[in-house]
Amino acid sequence: MGLISLPVTLFLYWLMLHYKKEAPFPKWGLLCLVIAGAVSALLASLLYAPVSSAASYIYGTENDKASFQWNLLNMFLTAGLIEEALKFITCRIAIIRKGMIRTWMDCVIAFATVGITFGFIENISYGMRSGAAGAIARAVAPGHFIFGVIMGFFYGRFLVSGQKKYCVLCCVVPVVIHTITNAFLQSADLGKTYLYLAFASAVFLIVTAAVTVIRVLRWQKNKTLDVSCTDCV
């Protein structure tokens, strides 16, 4: 079932590389980004259990874990913090190589590529444990692609402007959105209100994915982010 997301993944890869056909990454550059996404996904899977145990310790065994508060804490530590941090670190390592980042748009493409790879591997893992409905939902709501574009946008702006607040935003914004949407989705069985919020979160991700694709296409067409940040990495 995880392979249901393959067509969406291939489209997103095409979307990212469409811009780079005139100024491609250095040799093996794309492979480095794909490997970075795969490594971050593998490390995240290894950290889920110990981090969730730490979340359980923080929350307290006397508290009811069938609650939104528990889901929020658990999703913050396991999804928002760990996953986004690993994607940022592995991508940052991958783009150190000279020639990887020439423009602001290159940052968007690099971080989004890492996110696409992470999301695809995660979808395969989830797809083997869930039904078709869950796999399709994850395929049409590529959250990691969205978070990657956001992260790359702010990191690119940081490189161009030199203002550290954008480096902070490139990490904080994806973590916050990832945590809140996942917490609502995980809380769907806690009552009618949370079911509606979970549905709203799913719709939000689907709409945001569509808007993000349109925005990236416009950036490419109008060369909006073709602002040099050479030697800034």
Side-chain angles (χ1 to χ4, degrees):
M1 288 299 178
L3 292 178
I4 288 177
S5 65
L6 181 60
V8 175
T9 300
L10 292 177
F11 167 73
L12 294 176
Y13 277 136
W14 171 86
L15 178 66
M16 294 298 100
L17 296 179
H18 175 69
Y19 168 82
K20 293 297 294 177
K21 63 182 180 181
E22 296 179 2
F25 286 120
K27 189 176 182 180
W28 308 116
L30 175 62
L31 180 61
C32 288
L33 293 171
V34 172
I35 291 174
V39 169
S40 60
L42 174 61
L43 291 176
S45 67
L46 295 175
L47 290 173
Y48 286 146
V51 172
S52 187
S53 296
S56 180
Y57 177 78
I58 294 170
Y59 190 68
T61 55
E62 71 279 2
N63 294 310
D64 183 11
K65 290 185 180 178
S67 67
F68 177 71
Q69 290 78 10
W70 160 250
N71 288 333
L72 187 65
L73 174 63
N74 196 36
M75 288 301 102
F76 168 68
L77 292 176
T78 59
L81 191 60
I82 293 298
E83 293 182 2
E84 299 306 321
L86 286 172
K87 286 185 291 181
F88 176 81
I89 293 169
T90 56
C91 185
R92 187 65 183 79
I93 293 172
I95 63 177
I96 287 177
R97 184 181 175 189
K98 185 176 178 61
M100 284 292 288
I101 300 298
R102 300 185 182 95
T103 67
W104 188 348
M105 189 66 189
D106 286 343
C107 286
V108 173
I109 292 171
F111 281 93
T113 301
V114 171
I116 294 166
T117 306
F118 187 105
F120 179 61
I121 294 175
E122 187 178 68
N123 287 347
I124 292 177
S125 175
Y126 275 96
M128 290 188 296
R129 303 196 304 268
S130 62
I136 293 173
R138 294 184 64 85
V140 299
H144 288 286
F145 161 69
I146 299 170
F147 307 141
V149 170
I150 293 172
M151 190 176 288
F153 176 84
F154 282 117
Y155 191 73
R157 188 161 187 177
F158 159 66
L159 294 183
V160 170
S161 68
Q163 298 182 50
K164 293 183 179 180
K165 66 180 181 180
Y166 293 115
C167 189
V168 175
L169 287 173
C170 91
C171 298
V172 172
V173 175
V175 168
V176 170
I177 299 175
H178 197 168
T179 298
I180 294 175
T181 52
N182 271 34
F184 282 142
L185 291 170
Q186 289 291 320
S187 302
D189 58 350
L190 296 180
K192 186 176 294 186
T193 299
Y194 288 108
L195 179 61
Y196 291 150
L197 289 171
F199 178 76
S201 295
V203 172
F204 168 78
L205 288 174
I206 293 171
V207 172
T208 304
V211 171
T212 302
V213 168
I214 294 171
R215 178 62 65 183
V216 169
L217 287 171
R218 286 181 178 174
W219 285 340
Q220 292 178 352
K221 180 180 178 181
N222 301 329
K223 300 186 181 302
T224 309
L225 303 187
D226 281 17
V227 181
S228 177
C229 56
T230 306
D231 300 326
C232 291
V233 178

